[in-house]
Amino acid sequence: MTDLSVKRASALRLWLRLRSLPLIPIVILLTVFIIPAFFAEYIAPHDPYVPNLRARLQPPVGFGGTWEYMLGTDRLGRDILSRILHGSWYVLSVSLIGITVGVVVGTTLGLIAGYARGWFDGLVMRLVDISLALPAMLLALALAAAIGASFLSVVIVVGFALWAYFARQVRAEVLLLRKSDFVARSQVAGSSHIRILFRHILPNVLNTIVVLATLQVGIAIMLDASLSFLGIGIPRPTPTWGLLVSDGRDFIATDWWISFFPGLAILLTVMSANMLGDWLREQLDPRQRQV
Amino acid sequence: MLKYLARRVGSSLFALWVITIIVFLLTHLSGNPVDALLPDDATKQQIDAFIRDWGLDKPLWQQYLTFLGNAVQGDFGTSLKWPGEDAMGFVLARMPATLQLGGIAILISLVVALPLGVAAAVYKGSPVDNGAQMFALLGQSIPNFWLGIVLIWVFSVWLGWLPTSGTGTFAHAILPAIAIAWFQVSALARLTRSAMLEVLDAEYIKLARVKGVGEFSVVWKHALRNAAVVPLTYFGILAASILTGSVVIETVFSWPGMGWVAIEAIRGRDFPVVQAVIVAYAVIYMISNLVVDLLYVAIDPRIRND
């Protein structure tokens, strides 16, 4: 009996949570970002790379253009919509891999630093300080100059920009957890440190990591876009969104659509990711919900 | 308090030192430093002299010490892209333009964000609050380079009020400064709002009201002064963000500051200037963080008396 009522209560809670799902951001994320990232080849009406000089500088629909080139074409006659759709894959993969690097490095170092304390803790915290004191843009400039801009260099920059936040947050939580009873008990039971860290402590900080990672998606996308806008991101001809904006930069007076729509894609994606992150934080962190 | 400041200065210098190592390794990552640091048409004598001067025939750590010794004196070699220019001198000559833009951007952020955040907190739940929240969400999601382009499109091309790019008059600085400030405004307004909400609930605010202090004075003097510490913590991040913003926005508006130099130097593979610009940026950043620390002490007696 008791079991059932508990189940019903949690089902109700789940339903309440699902009902508060922010639908608009999810729909925007899916249509602008995630579905195109995986299915651009099937959705995109035109080839994003092949120039078509007969269709140069077509304006978008509603501004004298046709439905064939819904968002217009660039100076080489390439369809803007198709380029945005194809670009989303690179934006998605570079930011997700970059965040993953940041999460893995930051969480591992934070876990060990908080659990082991001692000199390792001191070292990690110094590194966190330095990393937070170095704007990611400087590293991006340095890497671009040294090894040239590439997919890898952008991933490194994004990972570098984010790892310290994870390390600091995870360490702070581990410091509290390591004093708790369940850790002491598994120590008594003879569990190895590695088992305690990854089997007992890690699951307890997962919530934090998930929330932090979601909130970083917007930052990662923005960083990637800024880098490719400056020409120190993934190099041409890859149609990353920042590069698409930069393509139309000098023609804003006459052919505004070349820059406008890719920027709008960035705006919508980052905004939805931020809203989703805020929602997730409210769901997973009861303190936030009350405030 | 002195100990606190000493620790901050120490950690800044440490970070700066790490940056010099990164910047030094830059030239070695890309292959032969001679290729990186000398023009392609350098003569045999020039190359030999260069190797001797910078100790390139010595072990790596000695090379680093030579580099560090020169760097401390501001000597990063001569520019490759702009022949004859001293790398650091060239960067420093561009610094005022960047600082000017950053200064105006900070001013705009403060003037807009503080009242907005305070109003949102005081009239919590009202249309003012909702509007401010929407604005904050939008502000944190707009790519600043795109905003810059859209601003040019609307105010320069369409309305014809302001120049599209370049420098010279105050009017030239308005659009780039707004483009840089936009993100900070939303972040600052959000922080100010939440800090004010917390403070407005405090006992001493109730006491001030009971005493009969005017509402204006309660909000702007008693509450804001206590709430201001929180937005101030953000100022360190603000400096980094404005610095990053300047690289992007100076490129959009062809504003001839350090950010513009950085991008041009990378395009021209001008290593001495890239090194100089990175170190210069880092120094500005460290100094602004130290200023924030000092402001803390000035505004919060709890730290002052610690």
Side-chain angles (χ1 to χ4, degrees), chain B residues 14 48 60 62 69 74-75 107 115 132 142 148 151 169 194 198 207 269 274 279 283:
Chain B
F14 186 63
D48 288 341
L60 203 59
Q62 278 190 8
D75 180 9
L107 209 66
I142 292 185
L151 285 176
T169 63
S194 61
E198 217 158 272
L207 177 71
R269 297 188 67 76
V274 173
V279 171
V283 170

Side-chain angles (χ1 to χ4, degrees), chain A residues 34-115:
Chain A
I34 297 169
I35 294 176
F38 291 99
F39 303 105
E41 279 174 53
Y42 310 102
I43 310 171
H46 297 277
D47 188 301
Y49 299 107
V50 177
N52 175 7
L53 293 179
R54 279 220 216 113
R56 286 180 70 229
L57 296 176
Q58 297 279 325
V61 165
F63 296 88
T66 57
W67 280 100
E68 185 171 7
Y69 302 100
M70 227 165 83
L71 303 184
T73 59
D74 66 7
R75 301 187 78 77
L76 295 174
R78 294 172 298 192
D79 180 39
I80 302 282
L81 175 65
S82 303
R83 282 169 75 72
I84 295 176
L85 292 178
H86 275 270
S88 58
W89 164 249
Y90 297 95
V91 179
L92 181 94
S93 49
V94 96
S95 40
L96 286 196
I97 296 175
I99 291 175
T100 310
V101 170
V103 167
V104 171
V105 173
T107 306
T108 314
L109 290 179
L111 275 177
I112 300 175
Y115 186 72

Side-chain angles (χ1 to χ4, degrees), chain B residues 81-278:
Chain B
K81 191 182 159 86
W82 296 279
E85 294 277 1
D86 171 58
M88 192 44 117
F90 189 67
V91 170
L92 288 180
R94 303 298 173 135
M95 196 185 269
T98 294
L99 292 182
Q100 186 191 359
L101 207 54
I104 301 175
I106 290 181
L107 209 66
I108 294 178
S109 338
L110 282 179
V111 168
V112 179
L114 281 185
L116 198 65
V118 170
V122 171
Y123 304 106
K124 186 176 175 235
S126 72
V128 179
D129 186 21
N130 293 336
Q133 302 259 38
M134 267 311 291
F135 178 80
L137 183 67
L138 205 62
Q140 291 186 309
S141 314
I142 292 185
N144 54 5
F145 52 89
W146 184 71
L147 177 69
I149 294 174
V150 171
L151 285 176
I152 294 178
W153 181 32
V154 174
F155 289 100
S156 308
V157 178
W158 199 19
L159 298 172
W161 290 352
L162 293 162
T164 53
S165 63
T167 167
T169 63
F170 180 70
H172 283 93
I174 295 177
L175 289 185
I178 292 177
I180 295 178
W182 197 276
F183 178 87
Q184 333 303 335
V185 168
S186 53
L188 263 180
R190 230 171 138 162
L191 277 172
T192 310
R193 175 181 177 273
S194 61
M196 278 299 279
L197 279 179
E198 217 158 272
V199 169
L200 282 174
D201 262 350
E203 290 294 322
Y204 55 83
I205 296 295
K206 285 179 197 146
L207 177 71
R209 286 205 175 113
V210 170
K211 273 198 322 192
V213 178
E215 187 61 24
F216 182 86
S217 173
V218 166
V219 170
W220 290 97
K221 206 171 134 205
H222 295 249
L224 185 60
R225 174 148 185 173
N226 284 287
V229 180
V230 177
L232 205 63
T233 39
Y234 181 73
F235 247 79
I237 304 172
L238 185 88
S241 173
I242 282 180
L243 182 159
T244 307
S246 77
V247 176
V248 179
I249 295 302
E250 284 177 12
T251 308
V252 174
F253 288 89
S254 312
W255 183 270
M258 288 164 62
W260 177 84
V261 166
I263 296 300
E264 288 297 312
I266 285 175
R267 287 202 182 126
R269 297 188 67 76
D270 187 348
F271 276 92
V273 173
V274 173
Q275 290 179 324
V277 107
I278 291 177

Side-chain angles (χ1 to χ4, degrees), chain A residues 24-276:
Chain A
I24 299 171
I26 290 179
V27 169
I28 294 178
L29 265 187
L30 282 175
T31 51
V32 180
F33 192 42
I34 297 169
I35 294 176
F38 291 99
F39 303 105
E41 279 174 53
Y42 310 102
I43 310 171
H46 297 277
D47 188 301
Y49 299 107
V50 177
N52 175 7
L53 293 179
R54 279 220 216 113
R56 286 180 70 229
L57 296 176
Q58 297 279 325
V61 165
F63 296 88
T66 57
W67 280 100
E68 185 171 7
Y69 302 100
M70 227 165 83
L71 303 184
T73 59
D74 66 7
R75 301 187 78 77
L76 295 174
R78 294 172 298 192
D79 180 39
I80 302 282
L81 175 65
S82 303
R83 282 169 75 72
I84 295 176
L85 292 178
H86 275 270
S88 58
W89 164 249
Y90 297 95
V91 179
L92 181 94
S93 49
V94 96
S95 40
L96 286 196
I97 296 175
I99 291 175
T100 310
V101 170
V103 167
V104 171
V105 173
T107 306
T108 314
L109 290 179
L111 275 177
I112 300 175
Y115 186 72
R117 305 300 313 270
W119 64 270
F120 189 77
D121 188 25
L123 178 72
V124 169
M125 287 326 280
R126 278 283 82 73
L127 287 177
V128 164
D129 282 347
I130 292 175
S131 177
L132 292 178
L134 269 177
M137 184 57 81
L138 290 191
L139 183 77
L141 295 174
L143 275 181
I147 57 175
S150 63
F151 191 91
L152 181 70
S153 77
V154 181
V155 166
I156 294 177
V157 170
V158 173
F160 169 85
L162 304 182
W163 79 272
Y165 296 96
F166 290 97
R168 200 169 56 172
Q169 192 69 34
V170 167
R171 172 184 174 272
E173 299 208 355
V174 173
L175 282 184
L176 294 176
L177 285 171
R178 69 195 287 269
K179 296 227 175 73
S180 58
D181 282 343
F182 70 89
V183 170
R185 281 183 196 156
S186 48
Q187 272 167 346
V188 171
S191 304
S192 69
H193 290 313
I194 293 185
R195 187 181 161 81
I196 294 175
L197 264 183
F198 288 92
R199 198 60 209 277
H200 297 294
I201 294 185
L202 181 62
N204 280 291
V205 295
L206 266 185
N207 266 4
T208 311
I209 296 174
V210 169
V211 170
L212 210 53
T214 323
L215 287 169
Q216 309 282 22
V217 171
I219 299 178
I221 294 175
M222 201 71 106
L223 189 56
D224 163 61
S226 303
L227 296 186
S228 48
F229 175 80
L230 290 172
I232 55 178
I234 305 175
R236 282 170 203 283
T238 309
T240 56
W241 290 350
L243 224 138
L244 292 181
V245 175
S246 127
D247 271 350
R249 199 170 103 200
D250 297 332
F251 316 111
I252 192 72
T254 47
D255 319 315
W256 53 271
W257 56 88
I258 305 176
S259 282
F260 184 80
F261 291 112
L264 199 62
I266 302 173
L267 166 63
L268 288 175
T269 306
V270 172
M271 189 160 76
S272 310
N274 284 345
M275 286 167 82
L276 209 58

